[in-house]
């Protein structure tokens, strides 16, 4: 009888399988059994690594959140104080929505599952908090939270209505939240300045 094979990647394969299961059939299709089948691992492996489905969903949501963080890091524009913040955020949102659509939909499905599953709430909040903290380096914390809320709302509208993402509209709306150099809000003039 052969000994058990050491499989250090099994936990990650289970998370990836959970993401695929939710991507195909939504949260309702997520069970330890469906994930084990998708990952091609024994059922006991899924329950060993994730005692509850909430634990598995937390891991999947955390991984999905990392996808947006990678888009931010790859662009690097949020760190540069010379970058037009409204334009950068609009482009960033467009790049994220223009990527692998199933992944974006999956992230929002897991994000919204937090309404009914309290264990997911801290992880769902991490995305908002992390982005707001990053934006607070460029503007005040209240405006940063408003920018995140607006981006979130625009993304949800695009996903729920199936309308194409309008980067110009997003840039305009995000710009309206940013204070100008004289303390006023930027308007529809097409000039968007960031606070420091």
């Amino acid at each position: 009888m052969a000994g058990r094979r050491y499989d250090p990647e099994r936990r990650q394969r289970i998370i990836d399988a959970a993401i695929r299961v939710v991507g195909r059939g939504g949260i309702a299709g997520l069970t330890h059994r469906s994930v084990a089948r998708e990952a091609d691992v024994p059922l006991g492996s899924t329950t060993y690594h994730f005692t509850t489905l909430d634990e598995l969903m937390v891991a999947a949501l955390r991984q999905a959140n990392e996808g947006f963080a990678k888009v931010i890091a790859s662009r690097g524009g949020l760190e540069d104080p010379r970058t037009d913040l409204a334009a950068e955020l609009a482009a960033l949102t467009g790049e994220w929505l223009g990527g692998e659509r199933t992944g974006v939909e999956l992230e929002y499905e897991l994000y919204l599952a937090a309404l009914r599953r309290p264990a997911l709430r801290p992880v769902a909040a991490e995305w908002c908090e992390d982005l707001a903290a990053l934006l607070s380096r460029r503007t005040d914390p209240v405006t940063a939270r408003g920018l995140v809320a607006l981006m979130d709302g625009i993304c949800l509208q695009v996903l729920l209505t199936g309308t194409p993402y309008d980067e110009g509209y997003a840039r305009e709306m995000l710009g309206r939240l940013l204070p100008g150099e004289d303390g006023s809000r930027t308007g529809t003039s097409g000039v968007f300045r960031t606070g420091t």
Side-chain angles (χ1 to χ4, degrees), residues 14 17-18 21-22 25-39 43 46-47 50 52-54 56-57 117:
I14 291 168
V21 167
V22 173
I27 295 288
L30 187 70
T31 65
H32 278 105
R33 190 171 305 285
S34 66
V35 171
R37 188 171 34 253
E38 180 71 25
L43 178 59
T46 62
T47 57
F50 303 99
T52 67
L53 286 178
D54 281 357
L56 182 54
M57 281 191 270
R117 296 178 176 269

Side-chain angles (χ1 to χ4, degrees), residues 6 17 20 27 37 63 65 68 70 75 93 111 122 137 164:
Y6 176 64
R20 289 191 304 273
I27 295 288
R37 188 171 34 253
Q63 183 166 307
N65 284 348
F68 189 73
K70 287 176 185 172
R75 291 185 61 89
T93 303
Y111 182 62
R137 298 176 191 165

Side-chain angles (χ1 to χ4, degrees), residues 78-145:
L78 294 181
E79 299 293 332
D80 185 348
R82 298 165 299 177
T83 301
D84 177 331
L85 187 55
E88 179 64 16
L89 290 174
L92 179 69
T93 303
E95 185 175 329
W96 186 59
L97 284 170
E100 206 270 298
R101 190 61 163 248
T102 303
V104 176
E105 290 172 358
L106 164 74
E107 184 167 350
Y108 270 94
E109 182 151 5
L110 289 167
Y111 182 62
L112 293 173
L115 292 172
R116 301 255 188 259
R117 296 178 176 269
L120 293 176
R121 289 180 188 160
V123 183
E126 282 175 15
W127 176 83
C128 296
E129 292 165 1
D130 291 350
L131 184 54
L134 183 61
L135 294 177
S136 291
R137 298 176 191 165
R138 297 283 307 275
T139 189
D140 64 276
V142 173
T143 301
R145 286 192 353 246

